[in-house]
Amino acid sequence: MERSYDIAKEIHDQLIKTAEAIPVFDSEFDPQIRVADERFGDFQANGTLPFAKKKQLNPRDLAKTLIDSLPENKEWEVSIAGPGFINFKLARTCLYQWLKAFSHREQIEAALATKEPKRVTLDFSSPNTAKQMHVGHIRSTIIGESLSRLLKLNGHQVTKDNHLGDWGTQFGILLYAIKREKIDLNNLGDQPIARLENLYRIGNQWIKENKQALKTAREELVKLQGGDEENLRLWQKIRDLSMESFEEVYDLLGVSFDHAHGESFYRDQVDSIYQSLESHGICQEDNGALVVFHPEHKRFAKQPFIIRKSDGASNYATTDLATLSYRSKEWRSEQIIYVTDGRQRDHFEQLFLTSRKWFEAEARKIPVLSHVWFGTILGEDNKAIKTRDGQPIKLVDLLDEAIRRATQMVLEKNPELSPEEIRRRACAIGLGAVKYADLSQDRTLDYVFSWEKLLAMQGNTAPYLQYAVARVHSIFRKLNTSPDELIEKAGLPQTEAERKLARKLIFFPTAIKQATQELKPHFLCTYLFELATDFSSFYNQDKVMVPEVEVQGIRLLLCQTTQTYLEIGLEMLGIETLTEM
Ligand code: ARG
């Protein structure tokens, strides 16, 4: 029989097929296959309990009827536990066949690729131009990149778009300040973005204090949005300078995009958005602004979604509507995923509600819309992380610090390495640790940023996982022949530690699927940590290089599969691995 990678599905299908032939079962029966508590088995079917309850039957009797009808099977042992769960303990041959079929990267990748690929647009990172990327943008960038890799691994077609905030209100203030101060944008010194930020701060102060200043700043924005040449030229220069500074961060993080359209790309489309929404009666005038209310919604019945401000300027909402429409039409996106801070939940909820009405009115099929939001990074005082003088932490500074600390770690262990090699390892470890700290938490939670914790060699950290990878590499380096030849002779897993590790390995696809479906990379992190832990116990208990070829073979097969999954897993998190550490 050919081994399918998804044993949970095999069990599911077998139970459904069996149940179909038993009168008490009907189409409402869902076996609900889950990973079982290790003490009882490998998988368990939970579905007999709710089904028995609905039909007012005894769940244990029901489970017994079902398992008595299961065909003879050499793959797994079946038993009933507790009030009527069904446990499945995989046979050693089953584990063995699975490992043989999926130990190599190409094998597991082929198995994971869906037969129904979707076109997905991933909107992430998306910093605002004229500002430095601060620590808040790290989450969107890291989570977004990881999701793009996971979706691709699952066989989907992903378009990564950096939706830069390059067309907002900030430009009115900034242009006003630049002109008032007679600033030459070609001569901003070595920290151009910091200069611009400062100018913006000053400008903001002026408009708060002075009505005329506020009016002029608004006029500058309207002029820009109306296509004024001088303002457009200044704006383009600011955009270029900003992009350069973002690229620095993206290079460090290993993040790339297919597009960086930004809000400005849609500036000529906003008028048609107003017209279209007006013609369908979706929006209305409210105190001079154009807004959308959602009467069916508790809050948004009264809280307007402003799509054109009272001074006639377009805003974040307008460009987002245009962007959504463009992606659906031009890229034929079937799903659009937006990765932002949780504070934008209202904006996206209103955007999605409005778009659904709009697409329906136009008889267009709307893509699946997902807002992937995340919490705040906290300092050790449990408040949003800040520098000592209360400023937001610049992302480049944080990443530099990570590399500096990791360099110290590398130097302590291997002072003899070349400077290039030290830098290479320090980047992998330091940047990997920062990324992992972010990804290993449920993204909807806030988390406390602590250098000691994220760089620790023990615990749920990137260095711990990277070390596990390096350890497997060192095993293979010591072999004089190719591991594949030795693995050919592998026997069945025998010891407790072998079985435990084999069992963990077969859950890899489940972890990948769960992280992808729920758009939450921490499910993968938790799995990788458990895998590395089980590998470590196996390695401490069972010597790999033993004279018995069957024993050595299966242990090498376990090492090889562990290496493959840890490497793919870390790659999905955007974390580099090292062969020596
Ligand atoms: N520029 C925004 C910010 O920095 C994020 C944009 C997210 N994407 C979108 N299509 N609205 O908060």
Side-chain angles (χ1 to χ4, degrees), residues 10-207:
E10 278 182 49
I11 297 175
H12 171 100
D13 293 352
Q14 179 67 260
L15 287 184
I16 291 284
K17 203 168 150 207
T18 307
E20 270 167 8
I22 308 173
V24 289
F25 286 97
D26 58 27
S27 61
E28 275 177 51
F29 174 60
D30 170 10
Q32 295 182 20
I33 309 299
R34 305 281 182 267
V35 169
D37 181 319
E38 213 178 323
R39 288 166 301 170
F40 308 123
D42 299 315
F43 289 101
Q44 65 183 50
N46 293 349
T48 35
L49 285 139
F51 185 77
K53 196 165 173 207
K54 210 183 291 165
K55 303 280 167 190
Q56 302 200 327
L57 295 166
N58 176 318
R60 260 194 98 89
D61 292 347
L62 190 77
K64 184 152 189 337
T65 318
L66 187 60
I67 70 170
D68 284 347
S69 307
L70 280 172
E72 187 68 44
N73 182 320
K74 291 204 181 62
E75 305 283 310
W76 46 71
E77 262 170 46
V78 189
S79 61
I80 299 179
F85 302 108
I86 307 176
N87 281 316
F88 298 83
K89 191 170 166 108
L90 302 181
R92 288 181 303 147
T93 46
C94 175
L95 292 170
Y96 170 81
Q97 285 167 359
W98 201 91
L99 293 173
K100 282 233 146 170
F102 302 112
S103 65
H104 286 287
R105 176 179 275 263
E106 315 77 62
Q107 295 168 323
I108 192 75
E109 282 180 353
L112 285 168
T114 174
K115 294 190 180 57
E116 292 157 9
K118 270 188 304 190
R119 280 181 301 275
V120 185
T121 294
L122 202 56
D123 173 322
F124 71 105
S125 193
S126 310
N128 300 324
T129 57
K131 286 189 192 160
Q132 309 190 68
M133 274 175 99
H134 58 79
V135 75
H137 289 114
I138 199 178
R139 300 210 74 182
S140 176
T141 311
I142 290 176
I143 296 170
E145 177 66 24
S146 170
L147 293 179
S148 82
R149 294 174 184 221
L150 280 165
L151 286 159
K152 284 185 195 170
L153 180 68
N154 281 271
H156 298 296
Q157 294 168 29
V158 183
T159 303
K160 304 197 268 179
D161 190 11
N162 193 356
H163 190 71
L164 301 173
D166 61 355
W167 204 240
T169 336
Q170 75 263 37
F171 288 102
I173 299 167
L174 196 55
L175 288 170
Y176 167 63
I178 288 171
K179 290 183 184 179
R180 182 164 153 175
E181 293 283 276
K182 301 198 171 53
I183 301 290
D184 175 6
L185 290 183
N186 290 312
N187 243 327
L188 286 176
D190 57 353
Q191 298 242 23
I193 309 300
R195 269 302 290 289
L196 291 175
E197 253 176 345
N198 213 22
L199 268 174
Y200 176 79
R201 234 186 319 266
I202 301 170
N204 212 15
Q205 202 52 41
W206 287 333
I207 64 156

Side-chain angles (χ1 to χ4, degrees), residues 123 125-128 137 163-165 263 316 320 323 327 338-340 344 347-348:
D123 173 322
S125 193
S126 310
N128 300 324
H137 289 114
H163 190 71
L164 301 173
E263 296 171 13
Y316 192 47
D320 253 335
T323 309
R327 289 171 177 162
Y338 301 83
V339 189
T340 82
Q344 296 197 32
H347 167 76
F348 284 103

Side-chain angles (χ1 to χ4, degrees), residues 278-496:
E278 268 175 328
S279 74
H280 295 301
I282 294 171
C283 59
Q284 65 192 72
E285 293 266 347
D286 188 52
N287 290 320
L290 200 58
V291 307
V292 182
F293 288 110
H294 298 285
E296 75 286 5
H297 193 281
K298 216 168 161 192
R299 261 176 317 122
F300 305 142
K302 295 219 171 70
Q303 184 182 320
F305 187 49
I306 303 173
I307 64 169
R308 187 178 64 210
K309 298 193 289 181
S310 49
D311 60 9
S314 63
N315 66 3
Y316 192 47
T318 334
T319 42
D320 253 335
L321 285 164
T323 309
L324 199 159
S325 175
Y326 178 92
R327 289 171 177 162
S328 151
K329 197 164 155 204
E330 301 299 327
W331 296 344
R332 295 189 300 130
S333 309
E334 292 157 286
Q335 182 173 13
I336 307 177
I337 301 170
Y338 301 83
V339 189
T340 82
D341 193 300
R343 282 170 296 190
Q344 296 197 32
R345 266 177 287 169
D346 274 4
H347 167 76
F348 284 103
E349 216 182 313
Q350 287 172 302
L351 174 70
F352 295 172
L353 282 171
T354 307
S355 304
R356 287 196 188 103
K357 290 178 187 169
W358 183 31
F359 274 62
E360 194 184 318
E362 303 230 305
R364 290 167 70 184
K365 189 168 185 304
I366 187 138
V368 175
L369 303 171
S370 323
H371 183 207
V372 165
W373 59 274
F374 50 81
T376 311
I377 307 183
L378 306 174
E380 303 212 41
D381 58 355
N382 268 317
K383 296 200 188 107
I385 192 167
K386 291 255 159 62
T387 60
R388 267 176 218 283
D389 53 356
Q391 299 297 323
I393 295 184
K394 281 182 252 152
L395 196 42
V396 206
D397 293 348
L398 185 96
L399 300 180
D400 283 345
E401 166 101 16
I403 298 170
R404 194 182 60 71
R405 287 181 184 248
T407 305
Q408 240 16 68
M409 287 167 69
V410 177
L411 275 176
E412 265 162 43
K413 250 188 124 179
N414 303 90
E416 77 293 350
L417 295 173
S418 72
E420 297 78 46
E421 183 59 14
I422 292 173
R423 167 87 190 171
R424 194 180 71 87
R425 291 192 192 184
C427 283
I429 296 169
L431 301 172
V434 169
K435 292 179 188 180
Y436 192 83
D438 203 290
L439 294 167
S440 55
Q441 307 288 326
D442 184 320
R443 60 174 163 74
T444 60
L445 304 176
D446 298 344
Y447 77 91
V448 177
F449 190 94
S450 145
W451 286 115
E452 282 71 44
K453 271 199 202 132
L454 62 91
L455 283 167
M457 290 299 300
Q458 287 301 326
N460 191 9
T461 66
Y464 177 70
L465 296 178
Q466 287 167 321
Y467 184 67
V469 173
R471 195 138 77 156
V472 194
H473 275 278
S474 83
I475 298 171
F476 287 123
R477 263 198 303 277
K478 285 187 203 123
L479 294 178
N480 295 322
T481 48
S482 120
D484 285 337
E485 261 168 54
L486 300 170
I487 288 170
E488 269 306 301
K489 307 197 179 84
L492 298 180
Q494 303 283 355
T495 68
E496 196 48 43

